[in-house]
Amino acid sequence: MAGGSAAAEAEMDRDVSRGAVVPSFEFAFDSPNFSDRVLRIEIVAGDNGPASSGDVCGGSIADHLEETAEKGHNIDSNITIDGTSVLTVKTLHVNSAILAARCPFFLKLFSNGMKESDQTHPRIRIADSGQEFRLMAGCEMDDFTSNSLRFFLYLLIHWDPKCSKCLTLDCEFAAKRKSSGKFVTLYDNELTFNDEHGLGCADLFEMPWSMFIADDDLFIDGVLHLRADVAVVGQPKLQT
C-alpha cells in the first residue's frame, strides 16, 4: 500500500507542475451528489489562546499528521487535544479521489490502509494562527518599459501582534482557459514572509499588456477567472 501511495503521489507531482492543466472540479464542491465523505474541519485555539491547554502552538494538526505519515507511522484523523477550545466548525461534502489528487496530505490519509482510510466522517483540527490573508490583483507599470503595463497578483497578510512575523506559504496561482474550461497553473512558489505585508507574482501572465487584454481565451464573457491555492508550510508560534 505504501508503494502504491508513493507512486500515486509522484504522478500527481508531475501533473501539477508549472504550466500544467489542472482540471476544475468546481461543480463537485460541497455537493452531496458527488461526495463520498463528509469532512468536519475544526479551527481550534492556538497555544496560549483562549481556553487552550493543548500543544498545537501555532501549528496545524494537518501538518502533524503529514509529518507522522512521512515517518511511516499511522495517521489518526480523529486526533484530539484535551482542553483545546474549538473556535469554528465547518462541514463539507467532499470527494476523496479529488482531494487525494489535489493534496498530498489527503492522498496519504485516504490510502494508508488504516481505519481512517475508510471513515465516512473524517475530522481535521487546525490551529488558528490569528493571521489574516487577502488577495490583491491589478496592473502596474513595468519597471523596465515605461509604456507597458503588467498584471500582478499578491498575497497580503495582516500580522497578529502576538505572533512572530515569520511565515512560509506554498502558493499557487492559476487562471481558467475558455478553450479547455480548466485552470492552468501560472505561478507556483513558496513565499516566506519576514515582516513583509505582501508577496506574490509581479507579472502573472508574462505577456505584453495589449496581448493580455485581447486574449479571448482568458476573458470568459469579459470575466477573468483566477484561483489561488495557499497552504501553510511553516507557521509562527504565539509569543508569551
Side-chain angles (χ1 to χ4, degrees), residues 36-236:
D36 60 349
R37 305 175 195 247
V38 177
L39 178 64
R40 177 183 172 93
I41 303 174
E42 298 179 355
I43 307 299
V44 300
D47 193 27
N48 297 322
S52 171
S53 60
D55 57 356
V56 287
C57 196
S60 70
I61 298 303
D63 292 338
H64 169 71
L65 295 178
E66 188 164 352
E67 291 175 1
T68 300
E70 290 175 351
K71 294 178 181 178
H73 302 311
N74 297 336
I75 301 177
D76 182 5
S77 61
N78 285 320
I79 186 170
T80 59
I81 305 173
D82 295 335
T84 299
S85 175
V86 177
L87 304 177
T88 307
V89 175
K90 178 68 174 179
T91 302
L92 296 172
H93 291 85
V94 300
N95 183 291
S96 56
I98 295 176
L99 287 182
R102 293 288 295 142
C103 177
F105 165 70
F106 286 107
L107 176 63
K108 294 173 183 176
L109 180 64
F110 295 146
S111 62
N112 63 7
M114 306 304 294
K115 64 178 182 179
E116 58 271 6
S117 298
D118 299 322
Q119 288 176 339
T120 58
H121 289 73
R123 179 182 67 181
I124 292 178
R125 283 189 166 187
I126 302 174
D128 179 20
S129 68
Q131 313 295 359
E132 295 182 10
F133 300 96
R134 294 182 181 179
L135 280 174
M136 182 176 68
C139 62
E140 62 183 358
M141 195 69 67
D142 192 305
D143 294 335
F144 301 101
T145 308
S146 59
N147 60 349
S148 178
L149 296 172
R150 59 188 180 187
F151 186 92
F152 66 82
L153 187 59
Y154 293 133
L155 185 65
L156 306 181
I157 184 171
H158 175 71
W159 292 105
D160 186 332
K162 295 183 294 183
C163 292
S164 61
K165 294 185 177 182
C166 181
L167 185 64
T168 300
L169 304 175
D170 186 6
C171 187
E172 178 186 323
F173 297 150
K176 192 173 185 179
R177 291 283 184 177
K178 182 167 62 176
S179 56
S180 64
K182 300 177 181 179
F183 281 90
V184 178
T185 300
L186 301 173
Y187 178 83
D188 190 359
N189 198 12
E190 282 192 2
L191 303 177
T192 298
F193 291 80
N194 289 295
D195 202 24
E196 293 92 352
H197 292 279
L199 292 175
C201 184
D203 190 1
L204 186 63
F205 294 96
E206 298 182 344
M207 66 174 68
W209 185 261
S210 58
M211 292 180 59
F212 166 68
I213 291 297
D215 193 337
D216 292 333
D217 199 34
L218 281 173
F219 289 89
I220 305 174
D221 296 327
V223 178
L224 179 65
H225 297 261
L226 300 175
R227 186 183 67 193
D229 292 330
V230 180
V232 176
V233 178
Q235 273 188 317

Side-chain angles (χ1 to χ4, degrees), residues 22-47:
V22 181
S24 172
F25 296 102
E26 295 177 3
F27 65 89
F29 179 74
D30 201 18
S31 171
N33 294 332
F34 294 96
S35 68
D36 60 349
R37 305 175 195 247
V38 177
L39 178 64
R40 177 183 172 93
I41 303 174
E42 298 179 355
I43 307 299
V44 300
D47 193 27

